[in-house]
Amino acid sequence: MSRLIRIMIKLAAFITFSILFLIIGYILVKGLPNIKPSLFALEYTTENVSLFPAIVTTIVMTFLSLLIAAPIGIFSGFYLVEYSKNKNRLVNIIRLTTETLSGIPSIVYGLFGLLFFVTTLGWGFSLLAGAFTLSIMILPLIIRSTEEALLAVPDTLREASFGLGAGKLRTIFKVVLPVAMPGILSGIILGIGRIVGETAALIYTAGTVPKIPNSLFSSARTLAIHMYALSSEGLYTNEANATAVILLIVVIGINGLSSYFTKKLLKGNYNG
């Protein structure tokens, strides 16, 4: 029986990696031959259909969304695990809310952002409206990953810290946080993936203007929207395939940088 389970696990892992490599291979085969210098021009025109403005917008949108969602999500996770009681009514409401938010389709977030941020608050189609909408989308993911990471930290570490005379806050930041950081980072990386690949919510909030934004209230398009716009027009299919390759590289690059800086942070905490 155990041998059958091991075979099934290996088979599932093989199928998963095969699908992953198949998708990546398809993107590279279709996109790499179509990458050309004109795609990286500073300004978008109908002749070069440059994706450089979309790259800048994607990076800015990711930074703004995480700047809003990450502190709220991480501190909410700390509240749920470190400060609240498990049977607290407020905790149950927060968990029910996060689970509900995580199941809402992205198009609904886009309509909410359009009605509230774009129309009611008068921000128009802008980076700010898109960033706030995306931050609400990834907030449940960061909260749940932070909560699970903190629950995985052994209570003996907290008890040892308290026994040495450390306070609650010092224990959290000096003992619990460094141990839980890899789990928290995994939630942030998943949030980055959702930000970079989102289209429906941003079409209704950030707009589709193909230019480098000059303010938080400028309308712009991310790489995912750029790829969608090119493919939907039917005139720039090759350029859309090339954009898919760049989008893949950007996602891998952002995730790699996140992992690198987290490792540096962990090393600094342990040395300190």
XYZ file of all heavy atoms in Angstrom, residues 143-225:
603
model
N -2.697 37.482 4.563
C -3.147 37.229 5.933
C -3.071 35.745 6.257
O -2.547 35.334 7.302
C -4.577 37.758 6.137
C -4.597 39.279 6.080
C -5.133 37.291 7.492
C -5.993 39.874 6.176
N -3.602 34.908 5.383
C -3.633 33.470 5.640
C -2.225 32.873 5.674
O -1.919 32.045 6.533
C -4.465 32.775 4.567
C -5.944 33.106 4.618
C -6.584 32.660 5.917
N -6.534 31.225 6.068
C -6.876 30.583 7.171
N -7.262 31.269 8.248
N -6.820 29.265 7.248
N -1.362 33.294 4.762
C 0.004 32.759 4.741
C 0.777 33.198 5.981
O 1.543 32.410 6.551
C 0.730 33.206 3.476
O 0.838 34.617 3.422
N 0.566 34.437 6.413
C 1.218 34.912 7.634
C 0.723 34.152 8.851
O 1.513 33.740 9.725
C 0.952 36.416 7.834
O 1.437 37.145 6.709
C 1.635 36.928 9.093
N -0.576 33.931 8.912
C -1.154 33.192 10.035
C -0.605 31.771 10.100
O -0.222 31.287 11.177
C -2.674 33.178 9.899
C -3.387 32.567 11.092
C -4.896 32.585 10.932
O -5.383 33.027 9.871
O -5.592 32.152 11.870
N -0.563 31.099 8.967
C -0.056 29.726 8.940
C 1.428 29.678 9.284
O 1.886 28.764 9.971
C -0.292 29.109 7.553
C -1.751 28.905 7.195
C -2.452 27.961 8.143
O -1.792 27.028 8.658
O -3.661 28.149 8.389
N 2.189 30.668 8.825
C 3.617 30.702 9.130
C 3.859 30.913 10.619
O 4.761 30.302 11.210
C 4.297 31.810 8.327
N 3.066 31.755 11.246
C 3.220 32.009 12.681
C 2.776 30.815 13.516
O 3.372 30.517 14.558
C 2.416 33.252 13.073
C 2.902 34.581 12.490
C 1.963 35.711 12.867
C 4.317 34.888 12.964
N 1.721 30.140 13.073
C 1.262 28.954 13.798
C 2.289 27.829 13.734
O 2.325 26.965 14.628
C -0.076 28.472 13.222
C -1.295 29.362 13.512
C -2.511 28.843 12.752
C -1.588 29.424 15.002
N 3.128 27.821 12.691
C 4.149 26.786 12.546
C 5.358 27.014 13.448
O 6.178 26.108 13.621
C 4.603 26.695 11.092
N 5.474 28.211 14.020
C 6.592 28.504 14.930
C 6.332 27.810 16.270
O 5.275 28.016 16.879
C 6.745 30.019 15.142
C 7.874 30.319 16.127
C 7.012 30.714 13.815
N 7.251 26.989 16.761
C 7.030 26.273 18.033
C 6.837 27.241 19.201
O 7.517 28.269 19.297
C 8.310 25.447 18.202
C 8.905 25.360 16.837
C 8.535 26.629 16.137
N 5.922 26.909 20.083
C 5.687 27.744 21.266
C 6.881 27.746 22.212
O 7.024 28.665 23.036
C 4.444 27.246 22.012
C 3.157 27.546 21.252
O 3.148 28.509 20.458
O 2.172 26.815 21.448
N 7.724 26.721 22.111
C 8.901 26.673 22.986
C 9.833 27.859 22.735
O 10.497 28.328 23.670
C 9.672 25.361 22.759
O 9.946 25.206 21.356
C 8.850 24.166 23.228
N 9.898 28.347 21.500
C 10.726 29.521 21.207
C 10.179 30.752 21.915
O 10.939 31.556 22.469
C 10.785 29.757 19.699
C 11.506 28.696 18.862
C 11.448 29.055 17.380
C 12.960 28.567 19.313
N 8.866 30.905 21.894
C 8.258 32.052 22.584
C 8.483 31.939 24.093
O 8.826 32.928 24.763
C 6.766 32.108 22.280
C 6.421 32.316 20.807
C 4.906 32.328 20.614
N 4.498 32.592 19.248
C 4.356 31.660 18.315
N 4.611 30.379 18.617
N 3.975 31.982 17.095
N 8.288 30.735 24.639
C 8.458 30.529 26.079
C 9.901 30.765 26.505
O 10.158 31.343 27.584
C 8.017 29.118 26.449
C 6.523 28.874 26.249
C 6.147 27.411 26.356
O 7.079 26.586 26.561
O 4.946 27.080 26.250
N 10.848 30.343 25.661
C 12.261 30.569 25.991
C 12.585 32.060 25.987
O 13.330 32.554 26.852
C 13.150 29.838 24.991
N 12.024 32.785 25.047
C 12.259 34.224 24.981
C 11.656 34.931 26.192
O 12.296 35.806 26.792
C 11.660 34.786 23.685
O 11.843 36.186 23.622
N 10.437 34.535 26.559
C 9.810 35.124 27.745
C 10.596 34.785 29.003
O 10.724 35.607 29.927
C 8.370 34.629 27.889
C 7.457 35.113 26.802
C 6.418 34.316 26.338
C 7.640 36.371 26.224
C 5.580 34.763 25.331
C 6.803 36.824 25.222
C 5.778 36.023 24.771
N 11.134 33.558 29.033
C 11.905 33.135 30.205
C 13.192 33.922 30.373
O 13.683 34.078 31.493
N 13.732 34.436 29.272
C 14.949 35.252 29.337
C 14.657 36.715 29.630
O 15.572 37.537 29.673
C 15.731 35.134 28.023
C 16.338 33.751 27.740
C 16.960 33.717 26.355
C 17.390 33.401 28.797
N 13.366 37.040 29.780
C 13.000 38.405 30.146
C 12.583 39.286 28.993
O 12.352 40.492 29.184
N 12.489 38.757 27.812
C 12.075 39.565 26.668
C 10.575 39.821 26.720
O 9.794 38.979 27.169
C 12.439 38.858 25.369
N 10.169 40.990 26.245
C 8.762 41.337 26.212
C 8.060 40.733 25.006
O 8.670 40.068 24.154
N 6.759 40.977 24.933
C 5.954 40.419 23.852
C 6.412 40.934 22.487
O 6.613 40.161 21.551
C 4.486 40.798 24.084
C 3.512 40.242 23.066
C 3.265 38.771 23.275
C 2.159 38.261 22.405
N 1.875 36.827 22.593
N 6.574 42.239 22.394
C 6.932 42.831 21.110
C 8.323 42.409 20.669
O 8.555 42.113 19.489
C 6.842 44.353 21.209
C 6.784 45.126 19.888
C 5.552 44.708 19.085
C 6.769 46.618 20.134
N 9.259 42.376 21.601
C 10.623 41.970 21.267
C 10.668 40.504 20.851
O 11.402 40.129 19.927
C 11.542 42.201 22.459
C 13.015 41.963 22.145
C 13.900 42.322 23.325
N 15.305 42.147 23.007
C 16.061 43.041 22.391
N 15.530 44.207 22.025
N 17.332 42.804 22.148
N 9.875 39.684 21.501
C 9.807 38.266 21.136
C 9.279 38.084 19.727
O 9.789 37.270 18.945
C 8.906 37.512 22.131
O 9.465 37.607 23.448
C 8.771 36.051 21.737
N 8.276 38.869 19.374
C 7.686 38.753 18.043
C 8.693 39.128 16.961
O 8.870 38.398 15.976
C 6.423 39.635 17.941
C 5.306 39.036 18.791
C 5.972 39.777 16.497
C 4.061 39.890 18.855
N 9.369 40.270 17.137
C 10.245 40.772 16.084
C 11.619 40.104 16.069
O 12.240 40.013 15.002
C 10.411 42.290 16.219
C 9.242 43.070 15.710
C 8.276 43.547 16.579
C 9.080 43.310 14.352
C 7.178 44.262 16.101
C 8.006 44.019 13.871
C 7.044 44.494 14.751
N 12.099 39.636 17.206
C 13.433 39.068 17.262
C 13.450 37.540 17.206
O 14.461 36.951 16.801
C 14.140 39.520 18.556
C 14.459 41.006 18.594
C 15.493 41.376 17.536
C 15.904 42.835 17.638
N 16.920 43.195 16.620
N 12.348 36.901 17.594
C 12.335 35.445 17.660
C 11.341 34.848 16.663
O 11.695 33.999 15.841
C 11.988 34.970 19.095
C 11.920 33.445 19.149
C 13.013 35.489 20.083
N 10.102 35.308 16.733
C 9.045 34.693 15.919
C 9.169 35.085 14.449
O 9.095 34.234 13.554
C 7.657 35.087 16.469
C 6.555 34.498 15.592
C 7.502 34.604 17.904
N 9.348 36.384 14.186
C 9.359 36.864 12.802
C 10.456 36.238 11.948
O 10.186 35.823 10.810
C 9.471 38.386 12.787
C 9.444 39.044 11.403
C 8.146 38.700 10.671
C 9.608 40.555 11.519
N 11.721 36.142 12.430
C 12.749 35.515 11.581
C 12.427 34.069 11.216
O 12.713 33.632 10.098
C 14.016 35.603 12.441
C 13.782 36.758 13.349
C 12.323 36.723 13.661
N 11.826 33.328 12.145
C 11.497 31.929 11.860
C 10.338 31.830 10.881
O 10.305 30.963 10.006
C 11.156 31.191 13.173
C 10.760 29.743 12.894
C 12.346 31.228 14.123
N 9.373 32.734 11.006
C 8.181 32.688 10.163
C 8.371 33.389 8.822
O 7.492 33.304 7.959
C 7.002 33.323 10.906
N 9.481 34.083 8.636
C 9.673 34.883 7.437
C 9.555 34.098 6.132
O 8.941 34.577 5.162
C 11.022 35.599 7.503
C 11.278 36.530 6.324
S 10.051 37.851 6.195
C 10.552 38.886 7.565
N 10.116 32.881 6.011
C 9.953 32.144 4.744
C 8.492 31.900 4.383
O 8.109 32.013 3.215
C 10.702 30.832 5.005
C 11.710 31.174 6.043
C 11.044 32.176 6.924
N 7.658 31.569 5.372
C 6.242 31.361 5.096
C 5.535 32.640 4.716
O 4.667 32.644 3.825
N 5.893 33.733 5.379
C 5.298 35.028 5.035
C 5.703 35.432 3.633
O 4.901 35.943 2.845
C 5.735 36.093 6.065
C 5.201 35.736 7.447
C 5.253 37.476 5.646
C 5.698 36.659 8.557
N 6.970 35.191 3.296
C 7.457 35.527 1.961
C 6.725 34.746 0.880
O 6.441 35.268 -0.194
C 8.952 35.261 1.864
C 9.573 35.471 0.484
C 9.496 36.933 0.082
C 11.000 34.982 0.450
N 6.405 33.484 1.160
C 5.698 32.678 0.167
C 4.347 33.293 -0.168
O 3.932 33.306 -1.333
C 5.519 31.250 0.675
O 4.670 31.217 1.823
N 3.658 33.825 0.834
C 2.389 34.499 0.583
C 2.570 35.768 -0.229
O 1.758 36.067 -1.117
N 3.629 36.522 0.065
C 3.893 37.754 -0.684
C 4.244 37.424 -2.139
O 3.798 38.109 -3.067
C 5.028 38.544 -0.015
C 4.569 39.040 1.369
C 5.460 39.720 -0.874
C 5.645 39.768 2.150
N 5.025 36.363 -2.354
C 5.388 35.973 -3.711
C 4.155 35.540 -4.496
O 3.992 35.886 -5.672
C 6.441 34.851 -3.686
C 7.777 35.408 -3.175
C 6.629 34.234 -5.060
C 8.855 34.370 -3.016
N 3.260 34.795 -3.853
C 2.008 34.422 -4.522
C 1.182 35.662 -4.855
O 0.539 35.734 -5.909
C 1.203 33.473 -3.628
C 1.777 32.062 -3.455
C 0.953 31.280 -2.442
C 1.814 31.329 -4.779
N 1.222 36.641 -3.940
C 0.525 37.901 -4.210
C 1.132 38.633 -5.395
O 0.405 39.209 -6.217
N 2.460 38.605 -5.501
C 3.129 39.232 -6.643
C 2.693 38.568 -7.941
O 2.416 39.236 -8.946
C 4.656 39.157 -6.481
C 5.117 40.050 -5.327
C 5.361 39.568 -7.767
C 6.587 39.927 -4.999
N 2.623 37.236 -7.918
C 2.185 36.530 -9.111
C 0.787 36.914 -9.537
O 0.501 37.051 -10.737
N -0.089 37.126 -8.560
C -1.453 37.521 -8.906
C -1.502 38.961 -9.412
O -2.274 39.289 -10.308
C -2.366 37.366 -7.698
C -3.832 37.593 -8.023
C -4.763 37.092 -6.967
N -6.145 37.179 -7.431
C -7.191 36.887 -6.675
N -7.026 36.481 -5.429
N -8.419 36.995 -7.168
N -0.683 39.822 -8.843
C -0.639 41.210 -9.305
C -0.167 41.289 -10.746
O -0.780 41.935 -11.592
C 0.284 42.050 -8.390
C -0.316 42.194 -6.998
C 0.526 43.432 -8.995
C 0.635 42.801 -5.993
N 0.952 40.614 -11.023
C 1.561 40.703 -12.346
C 0.653 40.092 -13.416
O 0.578 40.590 -14.544
C 2.937 40.011 -12.342
C 3.523 39.963 -13.740
C 3.891 40.744 -11.407
N -0.073 39.035 -13.078
C -0.892 38.365 -14.066
C -2.327 38.834 -14.137
O -3.110 38.293 -14.924
N -2.697 39.847 -13.372
C -4.090 40.288 -13.329
C -4.432 41.194 -14.513
O -3.652 42.067 -14.887
C -4.359 41.027 -12.016
C -5.806 41.414 -11.808
C -6.732 40.222 -11.886
O -6.424 39.176 -11.265
O -7.751 40.328 -12.586
N -5.603 40.974 -15.079
C -6.080 41.819 -16.180
C -7.465 42.390 -15.908
O -7.685 43.583 -16.069
C -6.121 41.018 -17.501
O -6.925 39.851 -17.320
C -4.733 40.612 -17.937
N -8.403 41.533 -15.512
C -9.810 41.956 -15.398
C -9.980 43.130 -14.451
O -10.663 44.113 -14.771
C -10.666 40.773 -14.949
N -9.364 43.046 -13.271
C -9.533 44.114 -12.287
C -8.882 45.413 -12.745
O -9.389 46.505 -12.477
C -8.950 43.677 -10.942
N -7.747 45.317 -13.455
C -7.010 46.520 -13.846
C -7.616 47.217 -15.052
O -7.469 48.429 -15.208
C -5.546 46.167 -14.130
C -4.726 45.768 -12.899
C -3.317 45.393 -13.307
C -4.705 46.889 -11.879
N -8.267 46.473 -15.910
C -8.918 47.108 -17.060
C -9.961 48.117 -16.595
O -10.123 49.190 -17.177
C -9.555 46.044 -17.975
C -8.461 45.265 -18.701
C -10.495 46.682 -18.997
C -8.977 44.127 -19.543
N -10.660 47.796 -15.511
C -11.714 48.671 -15.001
C -11.201 49.758 -14.070
O -11.955 50.662 -13.699
C -12.766 47.844 -14.246
C -13.622 46.993 -15.142
C -13.389 45.633 -15.268
C -14.673 47.546 -15.864
C -14.172 44.844 -16.088
C -15.464 46.773 -16.684
C -15.207 45.422 -16.792
O -15.991 44.644 -17.617
N -9.937 49.666 -13.646
C -9.441 50.627 -12.658
C -8.219 51.410 -13.140
O -8.171 52.624 -13.002
C -9.083 49.902 -11.340
O -8.168 48.833 -11.624
C -10.333 49.344 -10.673
N -7.221 50.701 -13.676
C -6.001 51.380 -14.127
C -6.090 51.825 -15.578
O -5.356 52.715 -15.997
C -4.783 50.472 -13.936
N -6.966 51.215 -16.345
C -7.104 51.582 -17.750
C -6.125 50.833 -18.638
O -5.442 49.895 -18.205
N -6.038 51.258 -19.882
C -5.208 50.557 -20.866
C -4.318 51.511 -21.673
O -3.918 51.197 -22.787
C -6.107 49.779 -21.848
O -6.990 50.695 -22.503
C -6.921 48.710 -21.136
N -4.017 52.677 -21.142
C -3.195 53.646 -21.869
C -1.762 53.140 -21.957
O -1.124 52.879 -20.927
C -3.233 55.025 -21.179
C -2.309 56.004 -21.893
C -4.656 55.551 -21.141
N -1.193 52.997 -23.159
C 0.158 52.425 -23.325
C 1.265 53.469 -23.196
O 1.983 53.763 -24.156
C 0.108 51.836 -24.734
C -0.818 52.737 -25.469
C -1.849 53.186 -24.468
N 1.417 54.039 -22.025
C 2.491 55.005 -21.825
C 3.025 54.882 -20.412
O 2.371 54.328 -19.516
C 1.990 56.429 -22.069
C 0.994 56.920 -21.033
C 0.619 58.380 -21.266
C -0.303 58.889 -20.158
N -0.634 60.315 -20.348
N 4.230 55.415 -20.200
C 4.830 55.401 -18.874
C 4.090 56.403 -17.986
O 3.963 57.574 -18.343
C 6.322 55.759 -18.942
C 7.079 54.719 -19.778
C 6.927 55.840 -17.543
C 8.543 55.026 -19.962
N 3.572 55.985 -16.849
C 2.819 56.911 -15.993
C 3.736 57.967 -15.396
O 4.871 57.684 -15.000
C 2.249 55.986 -14.905
C 3.164 54.812 -14.876
C 3.647 54.624 -16.286
N 3.233 59.194 -15.316
C 4.014 60.284 -14.726
C 3.503 60.714 -13.361
O 4.046 61.628 -12.752
C 4.046 61.491 -15.675
C 2.654 61.901 -16.136
O 1.656 61.649 -15.457
N 2.577 62.527 -17.303
N 2.437 60.067 -12.886
C 1.910 60.344 -11.542
C 1.052 59.172 -11.106
O 0.754 58.264 -11.900
C 1.088 61.633 -11.527
O -0.148 61.461 -12.201
N 0.651 59.202 -9.851
C -0.194 58.136 -9.323
C -1.584 58.146 -9.939
O -2.301 57.142 -9.884
C -0.309 58.253 -7.801
C 0.970 57.990 -7.006
C 0.721 58.208 -5.526
C 1.484 56.575 -7.247
N -1.982 59.265 -10.519
C -3.310 59.383 -11.109
C -3.279 59.248 -12.634
O -4.238 59.595 -13.311
C -3.936 60.717 -10.713
C -4.231 60.823 -9.243
C -3.336 61.457 -8.391
C -5.375 60.260 -8.707
C -3.592 61.552 -7.033
C -5.637 60.346 -7.352
C -4.741 60.991 -6.510
N -2.158 58.716 -13.160
C -2.054 58.471 -14.592
C -2.609 57.093 -14.925
O -2.425 56.137 -14.162
C -0.600 58.559 -15.051
O -0.076 59.852 -14.843
N -3.263 56.985 -16.059
C -3.737 55.698 -16.537
C -2.624 55.000 -17.301
O -1.871 55.645 -18.046
C -4.959 55.884 -17.445
O -5.377 54.649 -17.988
N -2.495 53.692 -17.110
C -1.431 52.931 -17.765
C -1.839 51.470 -17.833
O -2.815 51.054 -17.204
C -0.113 53.098 -17.015
N -1.086 50.696 -18.590
C -1.366 49.268 -18.730
C -0.175 48.442 -18.269
O 0.982 48.812 -18.503
C -1.713 48.905 -20.174
C -0.583 49.142 -21.157
C -0.834 48.490 -22.520
N -1.960 49.073 -23.224
C -2.224 48.832 -24.506
N -1.425 48.035 -25.220
N -3.261 49.387 -25.105
N -0.446 47.336 -17.590
C 0.597 46.407 -17.186
C 0.909 45.450 -18.330
O 0.270 45.482 -19.381
C 0.157 45.604 -15.949
O -1.031 44.858 -16.276
C -0.129 46.526 -14.777
N 1.895 44.581 -18.118
C 2.279 43.631 -19.153
C 1.137 42.689 -19.509
O 0.931 42.356 -20.680
C 3.492 42.828 -18.697
C 4.863 43.463 -18.934
C 5.943 42.649 -18.240
C 5.159 43.584 -20.415
N 0.387 42.245 -18.510
C -0.721 41.334 -18.772
C -1.796 42.004 -19.615
O -2.329 41.403 -20.565
C -1.310 40.835 -17.456
N -2.122 43.257 -19.294
C -3.108 43.991 -20.092
C -2.561 44.274 -21.486
O -3.303 44.221 -22.477
C -3.496 45.301 -19.383
C -4.184 45.000 -18.051
C -4.416 46.139 -20.254
C -4.556 46.232 -17.268
